[in-house]
Amino acid sequence: MKKLLSILSIVFIITVLSILVLAAEGDEDTTSWNNSYASVTYLLYPFLDTDSTGNVYLAGLSTNTGIDTFYSYITKIYANGTHDTTNWNKTEQMNSADGQNVAKVDSNDQIYFLIATQDDAGIDYGIVRKYSNDGVLNSTWDFNMTGEFEDNQSDVFDIAVDSNDNLFVVGGGRYGTDTGVNKFFVKKFFVDNATEDPAWNYSLGEGNFNRVKIDSNNNVIAFGLDAANGNIWYLQKFNSSADVQWNTSFTLSDPTADVPTALAVDSIGDIYIGGYGVNLTAPGSERDWRIKKVFSNGTEDLTWNKSFSGGTGNTESVKDIIID
């Protein structure tokens, strides 16, 4: 399906994003790849996805050297390492650095682009866009989510596409009388006309869903932070009709410092979650990686309660999990 990469390693350096491609044997392709990208000076929170012919779509948040002006960014790199700067170097100024900009490719090689931004009054919201693989905007899929919530307030964090190419958006939004409180949300938009599926106007208690994946049966798995119960990791599974199948939560170390950042689902529906906590590997180790596995029925596989330390400091975190 996605043929380009056996291993894709993302390395963030001080000014740009470097993409390093390795062959199946582990040899680096230094002829066509080992390229660097940034629309301004820095590229923050990079996300990658690939299409059916191995082209890479890179999304992120760019900023200048003063880190006081921010831009959404999405671009395309062909499978041979050539950067398409004619059709795809898309960027626009934003009002804040809140949230993340995420690209997802559907089964027809159409690209969904989620932009997390803020208006002039400081209200957070999400923009959803869709492009053809040659960079043409689909005008039906160019809308913002400010009208979806109380106070027009929402933090959007991730998107996923099901087998029918419908789009799911997760994050935290304001509902009802809970002014000033974000609640978990999962929303679905139909592929044909970008209208919202009312069955998926789902909200939970105080918190945010940070990541979302769709399994091979179109079940929706959402992973986030439960703020109402002490900022603990929270994992929930829905079937394709929006019925909750199960939920489970995890306390790692210090609830004020446990952050969920990564989610993956394998071919049989088992789930891998990752992020970071503090002092997980030893007293004083500060921020450490944590990876857990949960079976498709919601039971945790305790053999996968793994922690790693990259050394002292507060920079270690699982950024993404990829199943081969």
Side-chain angles (χ1 to χ4, degrees):
M1 186 174 70
K2 296 181 178 180
K3 302 176 181 177
L4 171 64
L5 308 179
S6 295
I7 302 173
L8 180 61
S9 175
I10 309 170
V11 182
F12 178 61
I13 59 175
I14 189 64
T15 58
V16 295
L17 180 88
S18 295
I19 299 179
L20 171 69
V21 174
L22 306 181
E25 298 80 10
D27 298 324
E28 181 183 351
D29 180 356
T30 57
T31 303
S32 301
W33 282 84
N34 201 17
N35 300 318
S36 300
Y37 308 93
S39 67
V40 190
T41 303
Y42 301 109
L43 184 62
L44 310 177
Y45 317 126
F47 281 83
L48 295 174
D49 203 6
T50 55
D51 66 19
S52 61
T53 59
N55 302 312
V56 176
Y57 298 86
L58 167 65
L61 178 72
S62 279
T63 185
N64 59 352
T65 54
I67 315 181
D68 56 11
T69 306
F70 302 97
Y71 304 84
S72 66
Y73 181 60
I74 184 170
T75 195
K76 177 179 181 178
I77 304 100
Y78 290 103
N80 63 6
T82 303
H83 187 193
D84 184 349
T85 58
T86 302
N87 301 311
W88 269 102
N89 234 16
K90 300 180 184 299
T91 185
E92 61 187 274
Q93 190 167 344
M94 302 166 62
N95 285 334
S96 80
D98 292 340
Q100 296 161 140
N101 303 322
V102 183
K104 291 291 181 183
V105 182
D106 72 12
S107 65
N108 294 306
D109 287 345
Q110 306 293 291
I111 296 84
Y112 289 99
F113 186 34
L114 177 70
I115 301 173
T117 189
Q118 193 178 82
D119 67 14
D120 292 338
I123 302 298
D124 297 320
Y125 67 98
I127 297 172
V128 178
R129 293 193 176 135
K130 187 177 183 180
Y131 296 93
S132 66
N133 59 9
D134 55 359
V136 177
L137 177 67
N138 182 333
S139 60
T140 302
W141 281 92
D142 185 14
F143 63 91
N144 66 55
M145 298 175 66
T146 54
E148 301 286 326
F149 305 93
E150 297 294 323
D151 305 326
N152 293 329
Q153 181 85 25
S154 65
D155 293 314
V156 294
F157 289 104
D158 200 12
I159 54 178
V161 181
D162 68 15
S163 64
N164 299 309
D165 293 333
N166 301 307
L167 183 73
F168 290 80
V169 182
V170 299
R174 308 283 169 82
Y175 284 86
T177 59
D178 295 324
T179 301
V181 175
N182 269 13
K183 290 187 173 183
F184 298 92
F185 77 79
V186 181
K187 288 183 175 289
K188 175 184 175 181
F189 298 91
F190 291 111
V191 61
D192 293 333
N193 52 19
T195 58
E196 185 177 344
D197 182 347
W200 279 93
N201 190 18
Y202 178 84
S203 66
L204 188 62
E206 183 181 355
N208 297 289
F209 281 129
N210 294 28
R211 294 286 177 267
V212 62
K213 297 290 183 183
I214 313 295
D215 71 13
S216 59
N217 294 312
N218 278 338
N219 297 307
V220 177
I221 295 92
F223 178 43
L225 194 68
D226 181 353
N229 292 296
N231 289 325
I232 57 177
W233 287 14
Y234 184 82
L235 184 67
Q236 187 152 337
K237 181 178 180 179
F238 308 82
N239 65 18
S240 58
S241 300
D243 300 316
V244 175
Q245 303 300 288
W246 50 258
N247 59 69
T248 187
S249 58
F250 312 87
T251 300
L252 303 187
S253 53
D254 178 355
T256 64
D258 297 339
V259 178
T261 58
L263 171 67
V265 182
D266 67 18
S267 61
I268 60 173
D270 292 338
I271 299 157
Y272 300 81
I273 56 177
Y276 63 85
V278 295
N279 303 330
L280 298 177
T281 59
S285 62
E286 299 182 335
R287 186 191 290 184
D288 298 317
W289 298 15
R290 170 60 58 85
I291 299 175
K292 286 178 172 285
K293 177 181 177 181
V294 179
F295 293 114
S296 60
N297 63 5
T299 304
E300 183 181 355
D301 181 350
L302 296 178
T303 65
W304 268 88
N305 192 23
K306 299 182 180 298
S307 298
F308 308 90
S309 178
T312 59
N314 285 309
T315 59
E316 294 92 349
S317 175
V318 177
K319 297 300 184 184
D320 202 0
I321 301 171
I322 299 173
I323 308 296
D324 68 10

